[in-house]
Amino acid sequence: MPSDDPTRPRDRRPHRSGTKLVNIALQGGGAHGAFAWGVLDYLLENGRLDICGISGASAGAVNAVVLAHGVSTGGREGGRAALADFWRKVGEPSSYVGPHPFQQALPIAYFSEATPAFLLFNMMTRFWSPYQLNPLNINPLRALLETTVDFERLRTCPRTNLFLTATNVRSGKVHVFRTKDVSADVVMASACLPQVFQAVEIDGEAYWDGGFMGNPAIFPLIYASPSQDVIIVHVNPLVRPDVPHSALEIENRINEISFNSSLIGEMRAIAFATRLIDEGKLPEGAMKRMLLHSIAADDIMQMLGAVSKMNTSWEFLTQLRDIGRERAAQWLDDAFDRIGEESSTDIKSFL
């Protein structure tokens, strides 16, 4: 993360310590955000990357503000501790907190089984809106955020630039909240699933989940970050090998495609701009060359569905965390030398 001196000039060249300046883009996906927790935990522990900007939507916005808060109070280790504390609180309702004694015997797909309670809730949301099912608009995430993040300090003493996306309900456009605007309301807006929670009102505008229009948004990092490298942490699989057949599987795949569409569109635009730069069809300096990198676990996420995004059992969250740490380590070993030089993701495949 950035050095203790907030006035230190930033650029994308390696620091004297050998670290490199990057941006992180965090997708949303409910409890699957624990995978991103693991990725961030490893990158902070490793120390070779200096994160100057974070774009996040939904669960990605939650991880972003928790990380930024922790870093603002305690540097890298503060960021790791804040993330661990937050996700531990998320997993507290589980009847067993700690390593599951049979964890190695439980395949991760075990946590995707649809319970009768989930199926009933899913059916109810098709007939009644959150204004009927949840008239008091109760959301435990708000209390959890307010007890974990000092938003006033985060707004006034930032060490990491935040770009949190929400969807404007009336206009249908993406809205990006910057660090100076971040609050519990902003994070709640970014994570507001309209089937479950009432729209969040901020300055007279109503907002829904940011994943509809930017999951996560890349363009703020292009225009407002000193680094050209963006590491996208995926929690929604882009590809599934099998065609879904059950109603729940079809609904889940529709959601995955919808929540990936804006990201794919931005990656396609970046790929097109990169081709124009490479072919010399743009004047020098007319457009910023962006370098894209991806950390994902599609082989794991393909085994999971909509049900698991609501699974907050500690054993499930820590499995995803450990997978995130493992994939981050693999990616960093393979791609570190390419950071600042070239994309480690094949962006031409998006043309």
Side-chain angles (χ1 to χ4, degrees):
M1 304 303 290
S3 78
D4 291 333
D5 180 6
T7 65
R8 176 179 58 82
R10 292 171 169 174
D11 56 44
R12 63 183 179 84
R13 293 171 297 175
H15 295 190
R16 292 181 180 178
S17 61
T19 62
K20 294 184 177 183
L21 198 64
V22 299
N23 301 293
I24 300 284
L26 303 172
Q27 277 198 322
H32 293 185
F35 170 78
W37 165 30
V39 170
L40 295 169
D41 184 68
Y42 179 81
L43 296 181
L44 290 170
E45 179 185 59
N46 181 273
R48 285 191 285 172
L49 299 182
D50 193 356
I51 303 172
C52 62
I54 308 177
S55 176
S58 199
V62 174
N63 274 327
V65 297
V66 172
L67 170 62
H69 161 77
V71 168
S72 73
T73 59
R76 295 176 187 272
E77 288 306 311
R80 296 184 66 202
L83 285 166
D85 178 59
F86 173 81
W87 284 100
R88 188 176 296 110
K89 291 175 180 175
V90 170
E92 278 179 358
S94 175
S95 60
Y96 182 86
V97 178
H100 196 287
F102 303 108
Q103 187 169 0
Q104 297 303 318
L106 292 175
I108 200 163
Y110 164 85
F111 297 104
S112 279
E113 295 181 0
T115 64
F118 173 83
L119 294 174
L120 176 62
F121 175 76
N122 191 49
M123 182 182 68
M124 290 174 65
T125 60
R126 298 174 188 275
F127 294 98
W128 293 285
S129 80
Y131 296 87
Q132 297 167 304
L133 289 174
N134 187 9
L136 298 179
N137 203 25
I138 297 171
N139 188 337
L141 177 60
R142 177 181 292 278
L144 187 54
L145 283 170
E146 290 176 343
T147 58
T148 304
V149 178
D150 184 341
F151 284 99
E152 182 176 357
R153 178 188 176 90
L154 188 58
R155 288 191 297 270
T156 57
C157 304
R159 291 183 57 187
T160 306
N161 292 320
L162 295 175
F163 307 92
L164 309 184
T165 58
T167 302
N168 187 302
V169 177
R170 295 185 179 92
S171 70
K173 296 179 180 179
V174 64
H175 185 94
V176 178
F177 293 93
R178 303 284 296 269
T179 310
K180 64 182 178 61
D181 305 313
V182 170
S183 65
D185 280 342
V186 165
V187 182
M188 299 301 293
S190 183
C192 178
L193 289 174
Q195 300 93 337
V196 183
F197 301 109
Q198 299 175 25
V200 177
E201 297 275 346
I202 300 175
D203 296 332
E205 291 291 345
Y207 295 98
W208 280 343
D209 196 293
F212 291 116
M213 297 304 295
N215 193 24
I218 305 299
F219 70 88
L221 301 173
I222 299 175
Y223 297 120
S225 172
S227 174
Q228 65 182 151
D229 289 89
V230 179
I231 303 168
I232 304 169
V233 182
H234 300 265
V235 298
N236 298 296
L238 292 172
V239 177
R240 281 189 180 271
D242 300 320
V243 176
H245 292 101
S246 74
L248 195 59
E249 289 172 343
I250 292 171
E251 179 184 13
N252 181 59
R253 188 54 182 155
I254 289 173
N255 288 335
E256 286 176 346
I257 293 172
S258 298
F259 281 109
N260 276 321
S261 62
S262 58
L263 175 62
I264 292 174
E266 285 200 85
M267 293 179 76
R268 184 177 292 118
I270 291 171
F272 179 68
T274 300
R275 187 176 72 180
L276 293 180
I277 294 172
D278 290 341
E279 294 175 353
K281 294 180 179 179
L282 289 175
E284 185 70 25
M287 190 168 290
K288 183 178 179 181
R289 178 188 292 273
M290 298 302 295
L291 306 178
L292 298 184
H293 314 275
S294 296
I295 301 178
D298 277 11
D299 56 322
I300 301 297
M301 297 304 176
Q302 287 168 1
M303 294 189 289
L304 302 175
V307 180
S308 62
K309 292 180 180 179
M310 298 185 181
N311 188 330
T312 59
S313 67
W314 182 243
E315 52 270 33
F316 177 61
L317 299 178
T318 51
Q319 279 204 45
L320 286 180
R321 176 203 61 194
D322 293 344
I323 294 168
R325 284 181 54 85
E326 175 190 336
R327 297 304 167 90
Q330 292 173 353
W331 173 82
L332 194 58
D333 285 344
D334 294 338
F336 181 76
D337 291 339
R338 301 173 72 176
I339 297 172
E341 303 296 331
E342 61 181 1
S343 295
S344 60
T345 293
D346 181 15
I347 60 174
K348 292 181 180 178
S349 65
F350 291 94
L351 286 173

